């Protein structure tokens, strides 16, 4: 029987010191990896499809690289999935490695390929998927089976209009063991009605909110439970903008699977108090909320009109009253920010006292509106895509020179988690996560980098010669953003998302 070996890899990234970022244990399995594995049929025609999944962030040795080699009894397709701009060089290097070992087909998909011009790399044995998996994946598999991949897939269509999604098969127990908690990421809803200028989500997923059928999500949850998963991360942005959120939560309450879950909401959820009770009953343990800044003028300048800092206290209170851990996400380094305003924001945050807070450096992510503006203004100073990971300063800030933002980033973490430790010491209730965040940030490592127990097994230097030979550069040029096709533009404007933004 003919077989196609398919290796799905979520690539890691190169850290500032050049190491490939790896952890003994990760926080959360990558949602794209298992989603695409679940979209993969057992057969294409009479060819059997044999699938391997690799989350590079949690590989404690390099044995998995043996998968990136041709096999005599089956052609191989390497798919680098969910690749963001700061992971792009790593994805290119893995593709180059696989090609050098005789792998016949390589394709790179995810945010970078979908939103940025990759033509500099075309014709070098690596393909690029410009549409989401539901749009491109089956065609890629068919072409691999028939022997020849195209340079690009779906240049004219980024999104599936009616999202089919897939029932997600959970990772094997041996894979779940690689994470701090037996957790699965699900992405049942896509799209955001807002238009924050720094945000890549609206470029990757569009404005119309699309969702898979509730029964599809429920079946994924049932299988997850049966497969040993205990925690779910709904990685969809703005769970509260999902028109069927209540129906899904009620179905979860009814099914009583005992799964606890994390979700992401926009700050408008403060206007949906009834949702909190349902979330609590359905098992929500943490809500990630992009508060970003405590300065309304700063938020408006970033087109984040729906955030009202005066409502953040009520938001924290709603979470507390419903036993949900509020996770307030903060961005430092907006153009309007000064050291004083960042430190003032930190004091306000301490007053609100959310049990989890994260901090990120404002980064013009390639493909976003802000990136285009900053490129046009000529203020982007960093040329290496590895650094566009929200922990580094990559542009000329008006008042905070290079290095200052990184210093303030770690100061915010250490100071905030020191504050939480003091709070907790009053009740003798130390949280391991609080201690971890404070300790790791004091080492100059971002606590949200992805896991615990950093490992260094290989470094960018190990792959550079091959990169030069394969692509003719050490660093890819900073890309231009891809425009939407006329069809995608019409779709993006067609829906009732403006009403949804006000809901
Ligand atoms: S609300 Fe969140 S997902 Fe939506 S555009 Fe703003 S940052 Fe992006």
């Amino acid at each position: 029987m003919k077989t196609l070996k398919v290796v799905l890899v979520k690539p890691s990234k190169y850290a500032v010191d050049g190491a490939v970022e790896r952890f003994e244990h990760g926080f959360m399995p990558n949602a794209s990896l298992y989603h695409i594995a679940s979209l993969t049929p057992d057969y294409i025609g009479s060819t059997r499809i044999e699938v391997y999944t690799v989350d590079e962030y949690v590989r404690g040795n390099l044995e998995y690289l043996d998968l990136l080699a041709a096999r005599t009894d089956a052609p191989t397709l390497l798919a680098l999935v969910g690749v963001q701009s700061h992971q792009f060089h790593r994805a290119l290097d893995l593709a180059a490695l696989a090609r050098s070992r005789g792998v016949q087909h390589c394709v790179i998909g995810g945010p970078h390929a979908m939103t940025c011009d990759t033509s500099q790399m075309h014709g070098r044995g690596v393909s690029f998927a410009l549409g989401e998996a539901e749009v491109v994946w089956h065609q890629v598999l068919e072409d691999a089976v028939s022997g020849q991949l195209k340079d690009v897939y779906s240049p004219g269509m980024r999104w599936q209009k009616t999202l089919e999604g897939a029932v997600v098969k959970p990772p094997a127990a041996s894979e779940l063991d690689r994470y701090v908690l037996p957790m699965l990421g699900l992405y049942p809803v896509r799209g955001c009605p807002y238009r924050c200028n720094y945000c890549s989500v609206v470029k990757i997923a569009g404005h119309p909110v699309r969702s898979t059928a509730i029964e599809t999500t429920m079946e994924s949850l049932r299988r997850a439970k049966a497969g040993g998963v205990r925690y779910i991360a709904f990685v969809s942005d703005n769970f509260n903008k999902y028109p069927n959120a209540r129906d899904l939560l009620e179905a979860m309450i009814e099914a009583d699977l005992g799964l606890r879950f994390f979700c992401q909401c926009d700050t408008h959820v403060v206007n949906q108090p009834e949702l909190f009770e349902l979330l609590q009953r359905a098992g929500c343990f943490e809500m990630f909320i992009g508060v970003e800044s405590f300065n309304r003028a700063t938020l408006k300048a970033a087109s984040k009109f729906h955030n009202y800092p005066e409502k953040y206290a009520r938001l924290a209170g709603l979470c507390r009253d419903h036993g949900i851990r509020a996770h307030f996400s903060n961005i430092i380094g907006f153009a309007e920010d000064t050291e004083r305003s960042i430190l003032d924001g930190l004091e306000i945050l301490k007053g609100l006292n959310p049990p989890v807070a994260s901090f990120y450096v404002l980064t013009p992510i390639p493909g976003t509106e802000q990136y285009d503006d900053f490129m046009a203004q000529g203020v982007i100073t960093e040329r290496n895509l590895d650094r566009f990971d929200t922990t580094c300063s990559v542009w000329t800030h008006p008042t905070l020179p290079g290095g200052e933002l990184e210093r303030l980033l770690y100061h915010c973490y250490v100071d905030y988690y020191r504050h939480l430790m003091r709070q907790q010491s009053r009740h003798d209730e130390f949280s391991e996560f609080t201690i971890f965040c404070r300790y790791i940030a004091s080492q100059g490592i971002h606590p949200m980098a992805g896991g615990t127990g950093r490992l260094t097994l290989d470094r960018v230097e190990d792959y550079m010669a091959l990169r030069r030979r394969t692509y003719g550069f050490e660093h890819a040029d900073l890309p231009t953003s891809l425009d939407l096709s006329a069809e995608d533009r019409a779709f993006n404007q067609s829906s009732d998302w403006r009403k949804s933004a006000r809901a």
Side-chain angles (χ1 to χ4, degrees):
M1 181 186 292
K2 284 202 304 185
T3 300
L4 174 71
K5 181 178 102 178
V6 175
V7 186
L8 299 170
V9 179
K10 170 65 185 181
S12 180
K13 65 166 189 174
Y14 294 111
V16 174
D17 64 3
V20 178
E21 190 101 282
R22 299 175 188 279
F23 300 97
E24 280 171 15
H25 287 97
F27 286 140
M28 188 193 304
N30 180 261
S32 305
L33 194 58
Y34 296 101
H35 181 73
I36 295 173
S38 305
L39 281 173
T40 309
D42 294 335
Y43 287 87
I44 295 277
S46 59
T47 301
R48 192 172 70 87
I49 311 294
E50 193 177 289
V51 181
Y52 300 84
T53 51
V54 175
D55 179 351
E56 221 190 3
Y57 279 96
V58 291
R59 290 292 165 146
N61 61 54
L62 298 181
E63 283 169 16
Y64 69 94
L65 292 178
D66 294 344
L67 287 167
L68 312 189
R71 222 166 67 184
T72 49
D73 60 334
T76 299
L77 164 65
L78 168 66
L80 286 312
V81 306
V83 179
Q84 301 184 56
S85 293
H86 62 278
Q87 298 157 337
F88 190 57
H89 283 141
R90 180 64 187 159
L92 288 172
D93 288 347
L94 290 174
L97 182 68
R99 293 293 286 170
S100 73
R101 295 168 166 186
V103 165
Q104 294 84 348
H105 312 294
C106 295
V107 61
I108 296 178
H112 188 88
M114 287 171 76
T115 62
C116 298
D117 183 3
T118 51
S119 54
Q120 184 188 14
M121 277 71 66
H122 295 175
R124 295 172 187 265
V126 182
S127 302
F128 296 88
L130 277 50
E132 59 192 357
E134 284 81 357
V135 176
V136 300
W137 184 230
H138 207 272
Q139 188 62 54
V140 171
L141 291 170
E142 281 185 4
D143 289 354
V145 165
S146 56
Q148 183 69 52
L149 258 56
K150 301 174 184 58
D151 272 350
V152 294
Y153 282 84
S154 199
M157 194 198 295
R158 201 173 284 186
W159 306 303
Q160 189 177 48
K161 310 288 182 290
T162 303
L163 193 61
E164 288 166 17
V167 171
V168 176
K169 300 172 204 155
S174 57
E175 291 300 312
L176 280 179
D177 281 349
R178 298 181 191 277
Y179 301 91
V180 173
L181 295 171
M183 184 181 262
L184 175 69
L186 293 179
Y187 190 25
V189 188
R190 292 178 212 170
C192 175
Y194 298 121
R195 35 184 51 204
C196 311
N197 66 5
Y198 58 85
C199 178
S200 58
V201 170
V202 282
K203 302 294 179 177
I204 301 157
H207 289 304
V209 178
R210 300 164 295 138
S211 56
T212 50
I214 286 177
E215 186 43 34
T216 304
T217 306
M218 287 306 299
E219 185 56 21
S220 298
L221 295 175
R222 284 190 283 270
R223 291 197 191 186
K225 177 68 194 267
V229 170
R230 294 291 171 268
Y231 297 88
I232 298 292
F234 285 119
V235 295
S236 308
D237 297 274
N238 308 19
F239 189 85
N240 56 309
K241 285 288 179 287
Y242 173 25
N244 300 114
R246 284 172 184 74
D247 297 335
L248 174 62
L249 294 172
E250 276 164 6
M252 290 171 71
I253 293 165
E254 169 83 23
D256 195 17
L257 293 171
L259 292 166
R260 308 215 56 212
F261 70 92
F262 155 103
C263 68
Q264 308 192 88
C265 290
D266 63 67
T267 56
H268 245 197
V269 73
V270 75
N271 301 326
Q272 299 166 278
E274 71 294 346
L275 196 63
F276 283 81
E277 197 197 325
L278 273 180
L279 285 162
Q280 179 182 29
R281 287 173 54 214
C284 180
F285 70 92
E286 181 170 321
M287 183 186 288
F288 177 98
I289 308 160
V291 299
E292 323 302 17
S293 170
F294 292 89
N295 186 323
R296 175 78 181 147
T298 301
L299 291 159
K300 282 163 91 172
S303 301
K304 197 156 189 125
F305 298 105
H306 59 284
N307 273 26
Y308 293 88
E310 66 273 22
K311 294 188 180 181
Y312 293 172
R314 173 151 170 69
L315 197 42
L318 277 167
C319 287
R320 204 174 300 123
D321 293 348
H322 291 87
I324 296 170
R325 219 159 58 187
H327 177 158
F328 276 16
S329 169
N330 305 268
I331 296 176
I332 64 168
F334 285 105
E336 299 74 15
D337 280 343
T338 60
E339 176 164 358
R340 186 70 265 150
S341 75
I342 291 169
L343 296 178
D344 287 348
L346 185 59
E347 291 307 310
I348 298 170
L349 184 71
K350 287 193 219 167
L352 300 180
N353 210 27
V356 185
S358 51
F359 304 87
Y360 305 91
V361 172
L362 180 85
T363 303
I365 306 281
T368 62
E369 189 183 323
Q370 184 178 66
Y371 173 82
D372 294 343
D373 288 347
F374 282 16
M375 283 293 268
Q377 293 166 30
V379 294
I380 296 183
T381 48
E382 177 62 61
R383 311 323 286 178
N384 182 353
L385 284 170
D386 300 343
R387 301 287 82 82
F388 286 68
D389 68 349
T390 71
T391 69
C392 303
S393 177
V394 300
W395 64 289
T396 308
H397 188 277
T399 58
L400 294 161
E404 273 304 282
L405 275 169
E406 287 91 332
R407 183 185 65 74
L408 283 165
L409 174 72
Y410 294 107
H411 170 80
C412 287
Y413 267 113
V414 171
D415 196 50
Y416 190 72
Y417 283 93
R418 185 193 296 131
H419 156 81
L420 281 188
M421 283 175 70
R422 282 194 193 121
Q423 300 278 312
Q424 291 165 358
S425 69
R426 287 189 198 138
H427 308 99
D428 255 349
E429 282 177 2
F430 287 106
S431 141
E432 283 176 19
F433 186 71
T434 301
I435 296 168
F436 166 79
C437 287
R438 185 182 166 192
Y439 170 72
I440 209 80
S442 69
Q443 307 291 302
I445 300 171
H446 198 277
M448 305 295 160
T452 62
R454 210 151 179 252
L455 301 167
T456 299
L457 302 177
D458 50 352
R459 314 178 57 81
V460 66
E461 303 89 88
D462 304 332
Y463 301 88
M464 198 50 98
L466 183 59
R467 188 191 296 178
R468 270 191 234 104
R469 264 202 317 279
T470 310
Y471 305 107
F473 56 64
E474 289 197 353
H475 294 132
D477 292 342
L478 289 190
T480 52
S481 302
L482 283 181
D483 283 334
L484 289 177
S485 66
E487 185 183 339
D488 280 342
R489 208 173 306 121
F491 175 65
N492 217 19
Q493 290 166 355
S494 67
S495 116
D496 211 5
W497 57 265
R498 285 180 189 80
K499 200 168 91 197
S500 157
R502 290 191 296 271

